[in-house]
Every structure is written in structure tokens, then in C-alpha cells.
């Protein structure tokens, strides 16, 4: 290692392939940026200090533990949802979907300090009966979370929520009784061009397509 | 809130919509599960205790801070990569892509304790010149990270890496000089059916499609 790469000029790296493929690959440095693909479109539901339901749009998050089942969302201190989570020690995570793209985007444009986002967007707030947080009925899947940990990282604080229950619309289950991603139609956020994409068809099964390479 | 939902039977919730849409939604409880859509397919590159490069497949992770730019991956203690990250205080995160689906899956099936995954899969290990970790040349985008924090959550430990540089193949940049998700063709992991999916076309621009709802 180390011998198969040559820095040709500032930011361009020529790599000689030594594996299955022949030839070279040219990689360009783009600096220290948050470029990950894909990122999710998470609808974070909270109650504010007086109990008004709020919803924000977060792309910085994901599953972080299988047991206890946990999801993380990172939120800036300046965001209205920040103090909401601190007060109620709970939040929900709705999965934004294609048919609710405008609503999902809207809650990321305005602040709950200024408006009642549920009222303006026409979404229906529902009080979780397992945690002290609301969710929007119109999103097909929702994770109801109690705050487990709060980690300060930098401009973002990471909230880790233990998933107490997941609720999903009866229409998004497959015939096998499991959630069907092609019925959920979750949005994907492209951090590079700030665009929303859909999910394409199944390409292969995990723990299966790689078996052909086993020696 | 609270009045618009009725638990009809164990696990089925009937919600009367009070927003823009009319009618009812039936939601079903599926329990405390790690069901988030989408999750990524992250190729975590590390050196082991004797400097052998290794690669693992992680779906539990995502961006967790904008400044410093950070990415998180959650790894079980039993995984070979765990001690590698602890020793070298560094890892890389490659973005698995459609054309390398078999390789991405393969590194999630076998352990670096037993085999040299790079050698068997035919991937080319490249030593990062900014952190003490390798990456596979064949994945189109790679984040080079130094370990910033280690958080014990449960069966998974969360490693937070500060992104020192991002390198991407010259072919995956658009005409505007930015990374193009449709050229990267990242894989999406479906946690429900354990399948790999592609990314669909652009559906709308963020901070734009929601403006129509602003009052």
C-alpha cells in the first residue's frame, strides 16, 4: 500500500488498480465536507415548551444501535426542536415519503418559533401514547423515541433516542407482513445538490449477492 | 391531540385526519425495531493490528455534525474492525455503489480475522495519506476520518470520525463541479427485507418544493 497512488497535482490522485480490475482510477480531493450518500429525510416530531407540536426536517441521523434499538438525529442548538427535546426527553422520527415531499420540505424551511407547522402544512399531529412527543399521521412510518443520550459534537448536538415503538400504515406492509420499502417510498436527500430522490428497485439481496466472491 | 387516535385492537391504531386530507389512517405497531428508511451501505476501511487492510459493511451510520464535519458508524465489539479503529484512531468510509454490489456484500459476509477481504474480493487497498486507514480504490467516494469520539450505546459502539478529506472519482462529478448522486449510483440498504436498492431520479429541490405551503 502507499505505492499504488501518485499525487499528480493539487487534489488529483492517480491510483493504479491492483485488484480484479485493470487500469487506473483518478480521484479528486474535495476537502473536509459532509458528503455521504444516501442520507435520510427524517421528520423529527416534538412538543415545545407550551405543548405545541412541531416538526423539523433532519438529514443528519440514522440507526446507531440494534439493542437497545436506537436512532440518532443531530440538531443545532439554535433550532426550535433542540429545547423541545431537552424539555420532554422524547421525539419521534417520521419517514418522509414521495407523496409528502412538499410538506417534508416545508417543515425544513420555516421555524416553529414563528408558525404552527402542522396547521400551515395541513399535517395531522398525533400524540404518541408511548413517549411525550407528537408525530404527523400522514407519514407512513414513525419511530417513537425516548431520549437516551445527548452528545455535544460541534455545531450539532447528537440526540440518541431509544426506539420504544414503530408504527406504520397498514398499506405499507408486504404480503409477508414486513414493511415494504417500495410501498413506503421514502425520500432520499442528496447532500451534494440538495435534492430529494426516490428509491429505485431491488438490485440484490444482502448476505447473498456477495457469496459468489467467497473463496 | 390525543383525541384523534383510537386503539382499535392490539397494535392497530385508527387515526382521524384533521389536516388537509380527509379520512382516516390505520397504523399498526410493529414494536421496538431498527426500521429506518433509507439506510446507507458504508464500506468502513481500517488497518488491523499488524497493518493488514480490512473493509466492513455498515448500515448503522450517517453524518452527525456539519462543523467539524463528522460521520458516525456503529460497530459491535465482536467485529474485527472494532479493535482496528481503537488501535489506529482512524477509519475510512467508502460509498458502496451499484457496480460493486457483490464486493460490498461480500465484505459484510466474511471476517477479516479469517481472510484478506481485499485480496479475495479483488478490491485495491489504498493507504490514506491523511489518516492511518486504507480505502478501496474501486468505490467512487471515500471519506477519510480520524477518530474523534467513541460512545458505548448498547450492543453497538458508535465511532464518530472527523472527516479530514473526501476523495471522489473524477467521473462522478457533474458539469457544475459538484458530486452527482446519479453518477455515484450509491446503494441503499433496506433494513426490512435486507436488500440493496438504487437511487431513483430527482423528485424535487430542497428549500424549494415546500415554499408553496408557506402562508
Amino acid at each position: 500500500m502507499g505505492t499504488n497512488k501518485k499525487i499528480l497535482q493539487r487534489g488529483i490522485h492517480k491510483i493504479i488498480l491492483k485488484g480484479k480490475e485493470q487500469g487506473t482510477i483518478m480521484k479528486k480531493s474535495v476537502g473536509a465536507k459532509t458528503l455521504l450518500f444516501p442520507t435520510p429525510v427524517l421528520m423529527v416530531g416534538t412538543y415545545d415548551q407550551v405543548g405545541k407540536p412541531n416538526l423539523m426536517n433532519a438529514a443528519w441521523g440514522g440507526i446507531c444501535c440494534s439493542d437497545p434499538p436506537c436512532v440518532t438525529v443531530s440538531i443545532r442548538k439554535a433550532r426550535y426542536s433542540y429545547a423541545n427535546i431537552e424539555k420532554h426527553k422524547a421525539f419521534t422520527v417520521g419517514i418522509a415519503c414521495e407523496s409528502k415531499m412538499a410538506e417534508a420540505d416545508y417543515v425544513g424551511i420555516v421555524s416553529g418559533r414563528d408558525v404552527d407547522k402542522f396547521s400551515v402544512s395541513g399535517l395531522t399531529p398525533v400524540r404518541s401514547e408511548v413517549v411525550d412527543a407528537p408525530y404527523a399521521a400522514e407519514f407512513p412510518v414513525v419511530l417513537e423515541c425516548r431520549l437516551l443520550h445527548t452528545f455535544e459534537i460541534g455545531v450539532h448536538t447528537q440526540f440518541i433516542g431509544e426506539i420504544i415503538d414503530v408504527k406504520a400504515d397498514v398499506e405499507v406492509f408486504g404480503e409477508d407482513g414486513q414493511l415494504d420499502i417500495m410501498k413506503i417510498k421514502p425520500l432520499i436527500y442528496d447532500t451534494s445538490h440538495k435534492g430529494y430522490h426516490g428509491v429505485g428497485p431491488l438490485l440484490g439481496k444482502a448476505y447473498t449477492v456477495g457469496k459468489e466472491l467467497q473463496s
Side-chain angles (χ1 to χ4, degrees), chain A:
Chain A
M1 276 61 68
T3 56
N4 56 356
K5 187 166 71 169
K6 189 179 171 189
I7 301 177
L8 288 183
Q9 62 187 72
R10 183 180 170 77
I12 300 282
H13 307 256
K14 181 179 180 180
I15 301 165
I16 299 166
L17 297 182
K18 300 200 167 180
K20 202 165 47 180
E21 287 182 62
Q22 299 295 311
T24 59
I25 285 180
M26 304 281 275
K27 277 189 156 55
K28 185 178 175 182
S29 289
V30 291
K33 295 184 180 173
T34 51
L35 290 163
L36 196 82
F37 304 91
T39 58
V41 182
L42 307 177
M43 302 282 99
V44 182
T46 55
Y47 285 120
D48 76 1
Q49 308 301 308
V50 298
K52 183 183 78 173
N54 191 51
L55 205 59
M56 71 169 273
N57 182 324
W60 291 175
I63 297 295
C64 61
C65 187
S66 295
D67 187 13
C70 291
V71 62
T72 172
V73 291
S74 287
I75 300 178
R76 290 173 187 261
K77 277 210 174 87
R79 298 295 292 269
Y80 196 58
S81 300
Y82 188 99
N84 296 358
I85 294 175
E86 286 207 316
K87 179 178 172 67
H88 297 277
K89 311 293 184 200
F91 58 91
T92 65
V93 175
I95 305 299
C97 59
E98 293 187 16
S99 66
K100 291 288 173 289
M101 180 171 60
E103 288 82 353
D105 191 50
Y106 167 76
V107 303
I109 293 176
V110 296
S111 172
R113 272 190 199 88
D114 308 319
V115 293
D116 180 333
K117 297 190 200 181
F118 278 94
S119 175
V120 173
S121 65
L123 294 170
T124 302
V126 179
R127 178 180 290 279
S128 166
E129 83 269 20
V130 296
V131 300
D132 188 15
Y135 61 85
E138 289 80 359
F139 293 108
V141 180
V142 60
L143 287 63
E144 297 161 282
C145 308
R146 74 174 182 93
L147 182 63
L148 196 63
H149 296 293
T150 302
F151 293 136
E152 305 288 343
I153 303 175
V155 298
H156 282 88
T157 298
Q158 185 181 232
F159 293 106
I160 294 185
E162 180 182 354
I163 302 164
I164 305 300
D165 193 20
V166 176
K167 291 185 175 64
D169 292 359
V170 292
E171 289 82 7
V172 299
F173 288 83
E175 290 183 3
D176 61 358
Q178 303 300 310
L179 292 184
D180 184 339
I181 195 170
M182 300 309 286
K183 292 182 174 179
I184 296 168
K185 296 184 187 299
L187 291 177
I188 290 163
Y189 184 59
D190 167 18
T191 59
S192 183
H193 283 105
K194 303 192 193 316
Y196 298 115
H197 289 251
V199 170
L202 178 70
L203 300 174
K205 295 289 284 181
Y207 309 105
T208 304
V209 292
K211 282 186 178 172
E212 65 186 69
L213 295 174
Q214 275 186 291
S215 55

